[in-house]
Amino acid sequence: NATRDALTPTRERCDARRARTMAMIPVDDALAIALDVVARGARATTTKTRVERSANRVSAEDVRATTPHPAFAASVMDGYALNARASAAAMRANDDGGATRRWEFEIVDDEASRAGPAKATRDDEGREFGAMECAYVTTGAVLPRGCDCVVPEEACEVVREGSGRARADSSDVVSGKWTRAVGSDVRGRGEVLIAKGERLSAYDVGVLKYARDVVETYEPPRVRVLSTGDELAASASDVAVRGCVVDTNGPMLEALCGEESAEVISRDIVRDDEAATRAAFEMAVADASCDALITSGGASVGDRDFVKQTIEGLGGKIYFRRLAMKPGKPTMFATIPRATGPPLLVFALPGNPVSAAVTFTLIVAPCIRALGGVRESGLRRIHCVLDETLRLDPERAEYHRVTLDWTRGNLPVARSTGAQISSRLLSMRNADALIELPRGPGVVEKGAIASALLISDVRHAKGANMEKIQWPKKSRGDESRRSNEALDSIVTVLDAEGSVRDLKRVVGLEEDARRHCRAAGDCVDALNKLRMYSDGDSTHVAVTDAQSPGLRRGIATTLERLRVVTPIGDVITKRAYARVGLVGNPSDAYGGKCVAFTISNFFAEASLRRTPSSKRVTFAPGPYDGNAFDSFDALSTHVSQHGVDGGVRLLKSLCCNLMRYCESTKQRIDTSCGFEMSYTSNIPKQTGLSGSSAIVIAAMRCLLEMYRINISLDDQTELALRVERDVGINAGPMDRVAQVYEGAVFMDFTKPRASTACGWRIHGEYTRVETDELPPLYLVWAKDNESESSRIHADVRRRWDAGDADVATSMSRLASLADDVFKAMATRQINVEELKTSIDTNFDIRRALFGDQALGALNVTLVSVCRERAGCAAKFAGSGGACVVVCENDDRARALKEACDAHGFEVERVVVRK
């Protein structure tokens, strides 16, 4: 009994470990795990590659321009170059009331310019052209001095009387016409042409030649492919024996690896034999140049599936064994240690061909891209319209193979490739995308809008290379010939402008309205008595004979949502990302120094729709703008979460401040075109991650693009700051600088200066820095936190204004920490222990200065849990509500996750914007 009792904890641990590895996990979680392991263990081997041979390689460096391109003002036509500004002034001075439209220009033959090396005297000693003078130029030639316009040869009439003269129409004499300015292709030295981590296309090869003959690229990943199974034959000619099938997985996986630019070292078949399986794995482990082993089959729980026990027998670690997806549940990811160097990555895929193909696409391909240095390794998501009703699986999410037809409206139409059984490889052959179907009962009806992952080159998809095809207009006589089904799917209406419109039935809208009904808990009997139609633009119709008030509210909610959803071509959409203060804050508000960066995890998004037919300006209520509530309790909850003011006030203030800026810089904007603007945000509230300024900056980017306003980054930071202060937000400059500049920025607020455009006070000097050398960083925050920046800073601000020496000393110490971290980042010599000490010291200085009462008990607990329970370095990411945490290894990250789970805190690894 004693022996049995002693063994019990071990058995429990084994059972728990087995339960964790056997549990089905979502695909997104599995991919995050695999990519994290790849990021920690991947080797970054680079090589110098000639630009001409660099296509499909991944750049291992930021390639920057060394000179502007073109380096000279050039002609883009054969014709006559002239000084348009001086000539236009001369023509106005001699204007005869419009009778003369063609003017004569004197041809200066000595200054003719042809493409090729320019005359040595061209830039330094060549004459400067004045009014009504011209010279012949060819395409690509250097413009003669003073010339800013080219009149095409076919638009000129050359007069051969005495000295040569040419006639040109006054409408062709326009400054900048048919010319290329210096730097019109590449602005100048330092501009990033190709970013580190980009896969180089054929077009990139051309761009690289602006600056380089040789580029540093990552070595492609090297993999081995292994098919398992007694039934497998290498060739179709070998499958005459009953019970044998040809190995399609091996060649397919090798080809898929090739598409990801990986080098396949070997492709083999191994029988269902434990010794043979182990020998194949040992060969891969012994090959130090092999990054990954990709197997198919043998990873399930059968009595002749030996992959799992082989991995465990070689001391490997299994991260997951089953995915909550269809097809591809028995998918395993593991690592096997080596004596030296990074471990061998093992991707054990299912044996059924479709399962192997889909899991490779969703899990293996992104990891291969990451191994090869690709910065953005995920698949591209799109929205599409279902062409048929699809049944859901009650236990697992399904990735349904579909073809895409781009010829039938604003969104592509998705059509199933047929039977989706996991052995039918033909279902993958013509597939353009994988529809992401959630698990659950019931169906997703025809006409619903679904999310899909692109898996093919859409340049070859049906209709993708065609102009947008308009829906054909049907004559009224066609109605008599429509079937009952067609009548149910199309209605014809007369709109407010007197135009006849054919609207298509959109089942997705009906589902949206029904969802609102179900949430309200009423009108269940009326759910099937609804039809909704749309032209895909601005006309929508709901048809029902039900009298349920709940159904009517559901319809109204859906139509209100559609009011701010507009065709993609008419909309400008911009984002601004959450800000994390790494070190130095809050000295930014007290003339100090800071290092901060933006993160891809959270963002605010603004959308602006132009309305050319109206000057009207409309702001759609966003997630923080509630004006109608179901009850007093709902009102109270909303105000406690979002305050009494929402985001629309920021948009109003932004427009007014931007107009004042344009007036002060003498920039005229055309306000004859109105717009509708909306915003959304997923930045957690009250976390000090600069959610309000993100809304402002995203919306500002929309307005800058619409009105083509010329404004520097420095002035953008000041404009955003003024907007927030106008609405009563106590804001420091750090947030706006980081969000406008993006990436990581060192900010020195000891050096204020004046804007060259409008005279505004720019708070400091700002320098972008690289973050590649930073250790893994995590964000921890509390869901329900009432951290308020103005309350926290009130007493310290009063003391600062009064000249308090303790406040001044503390801010100086914080600035010094930022100085040290900036120097380490700039020289790529970051010492993790020193960085952790700087972050801890930053919080300790802040805590001593502000006091626990001002910071708030929950905020202090937030940091204490990260530091004391998890053993990590931590400080506030902003004014409170969230912490930035250094977890230099997996053990620290696990300890942090466990500690945060125990206290109900949220934790997420930071993805720094580049």
Side-chain angles (χ1 to χ4, degrees):
N1 290 338
T3 302
R4 186 175 67 247
D5 292 342
L7 290 175
T8 298
T10 302
R11 289 172 178 160
E12 290 175 351
R13 286 196 297 271
C14 291
D15 290 343
R17 185 165 58 249
R18 185 179 300 109
R20 285 195 300 272
T21 57
M22 285 298 292
M24 290 193 299
I25 68 171
V27 172
D28 287 344
D29 291 353
L31 179 58
I33 291 170
L35 286 175
D36 186 58
V37 172
V38 168
R40 286 187 280 109
R43 51 169 172 251
T45 306
T46 63
T47 184
K48 293 189 181 300
T49 306
R50 290 203 58 83
V51 166
E52 293 84 354
R53 298 171 179 264
S54 64
N56 294 321
R57 302 294 291 264
V58 178
S59 176
E61 60 177 327
D62 287 341
V63 179
R64 298 179 183 272
T66 55
T67 61
H69 186 85
F72 53 87
S75 170
V76 298
M77 295 285 283
D78 294 341
Y80 289 86
L82 50 86
N83 185 329
R85 290 188 178 88
S87 298
M91 287 187 288
R92 285 195 299 271
N94 295 287
D95 186 16
D96 56 2
T100 303
R101 288 188 53 81
R102 293 185 67 79
W103 297 77
E104 287 193 0
F105 295 80
E106 181 182 351
I107 300 174
V108 184
D109 290 327
D110 291 345
E111 293 296 324
S113 180
R114 297 182 181 278
K119 297 178 183 178
T121 61
R122 172 73 65 213
D123 293 331
D124 300 326
E125 300 176 10
R127 60 169 293 175
E128 177 140 1
F129 274 55
M132 313 309 290
E133 294 180 323
C134 66
Y136 184 74
V137 293
T138 62
T139 302
V142 178
L143 288 179
R145 287 185 64 199
C147 292
D148 58 358
C149 170
V150 174
V151 179
E153 188 169 12
E154 58 269 26
C156 290
E157 177 188 353
V158 178
V159 181
R160 298 294 183 185
E161 298 175 0
S163 61
R165 302 184 73 81
R167 292 195 186 104
D169 197 295
S170 58
S171 62
D172 290 323
V173 183
V174 179
S175 179
K177 193 170 185 179
W178 301 118
T179 66
R180 280 195 302 167
V182 174
S184 56
D185 295 340
V186 177
R187 288 193 298 273
R189 184 180 183 86
E191 180 182 355
V192 176
L193 302 178
I194 301 293
K196 180 180 178 180
E198 288 188 25
R199 189 180 297 282
L200 301 175
S201 69
Y203 312 113
D204 294 329
V205 171
V207 170
L208 283 169
K209 290 297 288 185
Y210 283 139
R212 297 283 189 86
D213 291 320
V214 175
V215 63
E216 194 82 12
T217 63
Y218 288 107
E219 291 280 11
R222 305 184 83 231
V223 302
R224 289 174 178 264
V225 175
L226 186 68
S227 301
T228 70
D230 288 336
E231 73 280 12
L232 297 181
S235 170
S237 61
D238 299 330
V239 297
V241 178
R242 186 177 181 183
C244 290
V245 295
V246 69
D247 174 28
T248 56
N249 285 356
M252 176 186 68
L253 292 173
E254 180 178 12
L256 287 170
C257 288
E259 288 184 355
E260 302 301 335
S261 298
E263 179 184 346
V264 177
I265 305 169
S266 67
R267 174 170 60 83
D268 299 302
I269 297 175
V270 65
R271 302 302 169 199
D272 288 328
D273 177 81
E274 185 174 359
T277 303
R278 185 181 179 98
F281 272 69
E282 288 176 339
M283 186 178 298
V285 173
D287 183 358
S289 70
C290 179
D291 296 300
L293 173 65
I294 305 172
T295 71
S296 62
S300 192
V301 293
D303 61 355
R304 297 183 68 78
D305 289 329
F306 298 112
V307 170
K308 173 180 176 292
Q309 63 192 65
T310 298
I311 293 171
E312 292 175 337
L314 294 173
K317 177 179 180 180
I318 297 174
Y319 291 86
F320 56 79
R321 285 186 60 194
R322 304 203 307 167
L323 299 182
M325 64 172 289
K326 177 183 178 182
K329 181 171 72 172
T331 298
M332 187 186 310
F333 172 66
T335 56
I336 300 177
R338 290 174 164 131
T340 58
L344 175 70
L345 303 174
V346 180
F347 299 93
L349 310 183
N352 277 316
V354 174
S355 300
V358 172
T359 51
F360 180 96
T361 300
L362 297 180
I363 303 294
V364 185
C367 291
I368 288 179
R369 293 183 205 119
L371 276 170
V374 177
R375 188 175 67 246
E376 301 291 342
S377 58
L379 292 173
R380 184 168 297 175
R381 275 187 170 88
I382 63 168
H383 286 110
C384 55
V385 179
L386 296 184
D387 196 48
E388 56 193 286
T389 297
L390 300 178
R391 184 166 298 280
L392 299 178
D393 187 287
E395 296 183 354
R396 290 179 286 162
E398 181 177 359
Y399 292 82
H400 195 102
R401 283 80 73 197
V402 296
T403 59
L404 297 176
D405 183 348
W406 300 75
T407 67
R408 293 167 56 184
N410 291 329
L411 292 177
V413 175
R415 183 178 294 109
S416 174
T417 58
Q420 300 286 298
I421 54 177
S422 57
S423 61
R424 184 176 177 266
L425 196 53
L426 285 173
S427 69
M428 290 292 298
R429 181 176 175 271
N430 295 317
D432 296 316
L434 300 174
I435 293 288
E436 299 176 291
L437 297 176
R439 69 181 181 89
V443 299
V444 179
E445 294 186 13
K446 176 180 178 179
I449 296 176
S451 172
L453 295 165
L454 283 178
I455 61 173
S456 72
D457 186 346
V458 297
R459 290 177 299 178
H460 307 301
K462 181 179 179 182
N465 60 344
M466 301 171 65
E467 294 182 6
K468 180 181 174 183
I469 296 177
Q470 300 293 326
W471 289 333
K473 296 296 181 183
K474 301 177 177 62
S475 67
R476 302 304 296 267
D478 288 340
E479 293 182 7
S480 61
R481 294 190 295 271
R482 291 176 182 169
S483 66
N484 290 334
E485 180 180 356
L487 280 169
D488 191 47
S489 62
I490 298 175
V491 298
T492 302
V493 299
L494 187 69
D495 67 15
E497 297 176 355
S499 300
V500 175
R501 290 179 178 267
D502 285 337
L503 309 185
K504 286 189 172 185
R505 183 182 176 193
V506 183
V507 180
L509 298 183
E510 297 169 10
E511 286 299 315
D512 191 75
R514 290 174 182 135
R515 179 171 57 82
H516 292 300
C517 290
R518 294 188 186 101
D522 59 7
C523 63
V524 176
D525 294 337
L527 295 187
N528 292 323
K529 302 177 180 179
L530 172 67
R531 294 290 183 270
M532 296 190 74
Y533 305 85
S534 173
D535 66 348
D537 188 358
S538 58
T539 305
H540 318 286
V541 170
V543 179
T544 180
D545 60 358
Q547 300 301 312
S548 165
L551 179 59
R552 291 180 178 275
R553 283 196 300 270
I555 294 171
T557 303
T558 297
L559 295 179
E560 175 63 20
R561 180 179 64 82
L562 287 171
R563 192 178 66 82
V564 297
V565 177
T566 56
I568 293 174
D570 297 330
V571 175
I572 301 170
T573 300
K574 300 292 182 182
R575 286 182 177 179
Y577 293 84
R579 181 271 307 130
V580 170
L582 182 64
V583 69
N585 59 308
S587 75
D588 62 302
Y590 304 90
K593 301 176 183 179
C594 296
V595 176
F597 51 77
T598 48
I599 61 175
S600 298
N601 308 62
F602 303 111
F603 59 85
E605 184 175 274
S607 293
L608 181 152
R609 180 195 179 194
R610 299 181 183 90
T611 53
S613 60
S614 171
K615 294 183 179 181
R616 185 178 180 84
V617 173
T618 305
F619 299 105
Y624 309 141
D625 301 282
N627 295 314
F629 306 93
D630 292 338
S631 65
F632 268 105
D633 288 341
L635 169 62
S636 177
T637 300
H638 178 90
V639 171
S640 67
Q641 291 178 345
H642 307 304
V644 295
D645 297 310
V648 167
R649 60 181 178 143
L650 296 169
L651 306 183
K652 295 176 183 176
S653 175
L654 169 65
C655 290
C656 294
N657 275 277
L658 190 58
M659 184 66 72
R660 286 196 288 269
Y661 177 83
C662 291
E663 291 171 355
S664 67
T665 56
K666 296 181 171 54
Q667 297 186 64
R668 298 186 63 182
I669 60 175
D670 181 8
T671 58
S672 62
C673 174
F675 61 82
E676 298 175 359
M677 181 177 282
S678 61
Y679 78 92
T680 186
S681 174
N682 65 2
I683 301 176
K685 293 279 288 183
Q686 303 298 334
T687 52
L689 299 178
S690 307
S692 60
S693 60
I695 295 171
V696 172
I697 292 166
M700 176 174 64
R701 287 170 173 161
C702 292
L703 293 167
L704 295 182
E705 180 171 322
M706 176 177 177
Y707 292 116
R708 300 182 181 179
I709 297 169
N710 183 23
I711 178 172
S712 68
L713 295 180
D714 290 343
D715 285 354
Q716 289 180 42
T717 66
E718 179 60 26
L719 177 64
L721 187 60
R722 288 172 176 244
V723 169
E724 294 192 79
R725 288 180 175 173
D726 275 2
V727 299
I729 296 176
N730 183 27
M734 175 183 69
D735 309 352
R736 291 88 210 150
V737 173
Q739 290 174 315
V740 166
Y741 275 75
E742 291 206 333
V745 186
F746 170 66
M747 293 159 263
D748 185 349
F749 298 110
T750 66
K751 300 177 180 179
R753 52 203 166 87
S755 165
T756 57
C758 63
W760 281 351
R761 179 178 183 268
I762 305 301
H763 284 73
E765 292 186 351
Y766 316 128
T767 306
R768 286 192 174 101
V769 288
E770 296 293 335
T771 59
D772 294 343
E773 304 299 319
L774 287 177
L777 301 174
Y778 288 77
L779 193 68
V780 174
W781 71 97
K783 285 184 177 179
D784 302 313
N785 197 344
E786 298 182 359
S787 177
E788 187 180 340
S789 177
S790 58
R791 176 179 57 80
I792 291 174
H793 282 270
D795 181 61
V796 173
R797 170 57 63 182
R798 179 186 57 76
R799 291 164 58 192
W800 169 267
D801 292 339
D804 188 307
D806 288 343
V807 176
T809 300
S810 297
M811 295 305 168
S812 178
R813 291 177 63 196
L814 291 171
S816 179
L817 292 175
D819 252 335
D820 293 341
V821 171
F822 165 61
K823 291 172 184 175
M825 294 176 70
T827 58
R828 295 178 177 269
Q829 295 178 352
I830 294 177
N831 182 297
V832 176
E833 292 303 318
E834 290 178 359
L835 176 63
K836 291 170 62 178
T837 299
S838 296
I839 286 177
D840 281 340
T841 303
N842 198 124
F843 177 74
D844 293 339
I845 294 172
R846 183 175 196 154
R847 186 176 186 180
L849 180 63
F850 285 79
D852 287 2
Q853 184 174 356
L855 296 181
L858 184 55
N859 282 326
V860 174
T861 301
L862 201 62
V863 177
S864 298
V865 167
C866 298
R867 292 170 64 168
E868 297 167 12
R869 299 294 181 88
C872 301
K875 62 174 285 294
F876 290 161
S879 58
C883 294
V884 58
V885 186
V886 178
C887 293
E888 66 271 31
N889 55 49
D890 289 347
D891 291 338
R892 289 281 186 233
R894 280 192 292 271
L896 177 67
K897 182 69 166 62
E898 291 171 0
C900 290
D901 287 347
H903 286 78
F905 296 154
E906 301 291 314
V907 59
E908 187 167 322
R909 184 166 179 175
V910 164
V911 180
V912 181
R913 293 277 299 169
K914 297 293 186 183

